[in-house]
Amino acid sequence: PETITIQELANRMSERAVDVIKFLMKQGQMHKITDVIDADTAQLVAEELGHTVKRVAESDVEEGLFDTPDVDENLVARPPVVTIMGHVDHGKTSLLDAIRKTNVVSGEAGGITQHIGAYQVTSPLGGKITFIDTPGHAAFTAMRARGAKVTDIVVLVVAADDGVMPQTVEAITHAQAAGVPLIVAINKVDKPDANPQRVRTELLQHSIVVESMGGETLEFEVSAKTGQGLDSLLEGLQLQAEILDLKANPERSSEGTVIEAKLDRGRGPVATVLVQRGTLHTGDIVVAGAEWGRVRALVNDVGQNVKEAGPSVPVEILGFNGTPEAGDRVAVVESEARAREITEYRTRQKRERAAARMGSAGRTLADMMR
Ligand code: GDP
Ligand code: MG
């Protein structure tokens, strides 16, 4: 039977294990952090704590679909995938916009008006960096809950005039739980009441020791408003990426994760996907969640049609038969028959779970009316 430890369940939800234990205690179950609970109990806990649950069965149908290892000799460096996190109004959106603007050649097709939920820029040192353009802990948590690991580095934005706030601490917790390294961007240093030093000191209380205080965490003073420090931040990200030694094999069957998806009136289902392994090509048959399709077109972050997209490249996929969900993992399969087999199996599972939930709800209602 499927099981999970309390610690792992808490990690996947980005919740504290103690909160899971507390919840179970209220249900009359006493557990330690290392205890194993069954999948149904885990699902109940997750849903009660406000998470969407997607149970991935270890069935034959899914066999070999994901995480087939890369062969060493084909590994090449890939760009880091970066997510910006931080307290509300500390400048996440402004930073993402400012970074993108400094990098987009004016007049480029689509230009900066194009928005696909992720984009790539070139650091002053020449390396590419991929930014996930959906700031917010919700997206990060949703993806992690589905077992998708998309982020290599988190940029923690802290406003220099406001300091460390509750969502700053939350972001630190998320990043640490996911084992993702942090880089600190002390933003709004253009403001007269900016106090970057206070930010550094406050971070110490959350065991983030920045470089200038003798620690290992890179920190940069920036202003999304004036553009100050953005180049240094990008250089820092490339440096951090080199330390992480990120590699992927571009010459294999592709895997990725849906960053966002929508039903477009003219174009049908459109999924923005971060390619994580291999290279995705037009004409490939892809599955994502309970949806599949043949890739009719790939559109890059500046609105250009492209024939292929390699590791760490964000791209829109056109051609899905239905709209997948953010956080769904994407894989290329060898045939339409295989795609149908997988998605029909997943649809069936979804239905059965929904029916099981309805069943128990019905019983509860009947119990109440006795
Ligand atoms: P988010 O909630 O973290 O996405 O924050 P926003 O990017 O929406 O920024 C919140 C407010 O701070 C907006 O009014 C921005 O114009 C302002 N802001 C963001 N970055 C800077 C900065 O570097 N300097 C100044 N002076 N204002 C900034
Ligand atoms: Mg914002």
Side-chain angles (χ1 to χ4, degrees):
E2 296 167 59
T3 58
I4 188 167
T5 66
I6 301 230
Q7 176 70 72
E8 174 62 9
L9 177 63
N11 285 352
R12 289 200 198 169
M13 299 187 294
S14 298
E15 297 279 359
R16 297 183 316 164
V18 57
D19 292 330
V20 175
I21 291 170
K22 266 193 208 150
F23 174 81
L24 287 167
M25 213 183 278
K26 280 194 212 131
Q27 308 282 310
Q29 294 189 36
M30 304 298 284
H31 283 291
K32 309 185 293 296
I33 194 161
T34 48
D35 281 359
V36 167
I37 56 175
D38 65 57
D40 289 335
T41 308
Q43 174 154 2
L44 179 76
V45 172
E47 284 170 352
E48 282 298 320
L49 292 174
H51 296 276
T52 316
V53 174
K54 183 170 166 229
R55 273 161 70 172
V56 182
E58 314 263 359
S59 88
D60 292 348
V61 176
E62 309 261 357
E63 187 74 38
L65 198 54
F66 292 116
D67 301 325
T68 47
D70 280 337
V71 181
D72 277 358
E73 65 212 58
N74 295 329
L75 291 180
V76 296
R78 65 168 178 85
V81 179
V82 179
T83 305
I84 297 193
M85 297 177 92
H87 196 71
V88 63
D89 283 345
H90 279 197
K92 297 179 291 294
T93 306
S94 305
L95 262 182
L96 278 162
D97 289 348
I99 289 168
R100 188 159 196 204
K101 275 197 201 102
T102 56
N103 256 267
V104 172
V105 186
S106 52
E108 198 171 354
I112 55 169
T113 52
Q114 178 75 12
H115 172 93
I116 73 162
Y119 63 77
Q120 258 191 349
V121 299
T122 307
S123 108
L125 299 174
K128 290 218 160 104
I129 300 168
T130 303
F131 284 89
I132 305 280
D133 191 3
T134 48
H137 307 181
F140 190 83
T141 310
M143 286 189 200
R144 292 224 325 118
R146 285 151 186 267
K149 184 180 183 293
V150 293
T151 306
D152 298 308
I153 305 168
V154 166
V155 171
L156 179 69
V157 181
V158 191
D161 62 341
D162 203 24
V164 171
M165 297 301 277
Q167 286 165 286
T168 317
V169 178
E170 216 177 273
I172 294 170
T173 311
H174 280 320
Q176 287 174 342
V180 177
L182 268 179
I183 285 188
V184 177
I186 305 175
N187 190 33
K188 307 199 189 186
V189 294
D190 61 282
K191 286 189 129 182
D193 52 346
N195 189 347
Q197 201 50 33
R198 196 187 87 192
V199 173
R200 294 184 177 92
T201 313
E202 288 175 350
L203 284 171
L204 274 179
Q205 291 160 21
H206 300 278
S207 51
I208 303 282
V209 190
V210 295
E211 253 195 329
S212 67
M213 299 190 88
E216 308 234 298
T217 306
L218 299 179
E219 101 264 32
F220 299 91
E221 293 189 7
V222 302
S223 165
K225 189 177 175 187
T226 67
Q228 179 192 331
L230 296 187
D231 277 352
S232 309
L233 174 62
L234 293 179
E235 287 179 8
L237 282 166
Q238 186 177 337
L239 233 58
Q240 182 73 57
E242 279 161 19
I243 293 167
L244 293 172
D245 195 27
L246 304 168
K247 296 219 160 97
N249 172 8
E251 320 221 337
R252 49 157 285 166
S253 164
S254 192
E255 290 178 15
T257 298
V258 176
I259 304 296
E260 56 184 36
K262 58 173 190 271
L263 183 60
D264 186 288
R265 265 197 197 170
R267 301 189 297 167
V270 179
T272 298
V273 167
L274 174 74
V275 177
Q276 294 171 291
R277 294 160 184 257
T279 300
L280 190 63
H281 309 269
T282 52
D284 281 348
I285 298 163
V286 286
V287 296
E291 307 298 339
W292 72 275
R294 184 181 286 275
V295 179
R296 187 171 78 235
L298 294 172
V299 183
N300 71 11
D301 56 346
V302 292
Q304 295 161 327
N305 277 287
V306 292
K307 285 262 167 284
E308 54 180 40
S312 298
V313 174
V315 73
E316 278 183 340
I317 297 182
L318 275 62
F320 272 107
N321 299 329
T323 313
E325 289 171 44
D328 278 344
R329 297 180 72 188
V330 183
V332 171
V333 295
E334 66 280 4
S335 69
E336 290 194 10
R338 176 97 171 99
R340 276 207 195 85
E341 179 193 30
I342 293 162
T343 52
E344 277 167 15
Y345 167 76
R346 288 175 175 175
T347 306
R348 211 160 48 234
Q349 279 215 315
K350 250 190 189 173
R351 225 176 12 235
E352 276 163 17
R353 271 202 300 279
R357 265 197 299 277
M358 291 282 281
S360 58
R363 271 201 299 284
T364 312
L365 198 61
D367 289 347
M368 284 187 331
M369 293 169 76
R370 265 203 310 234

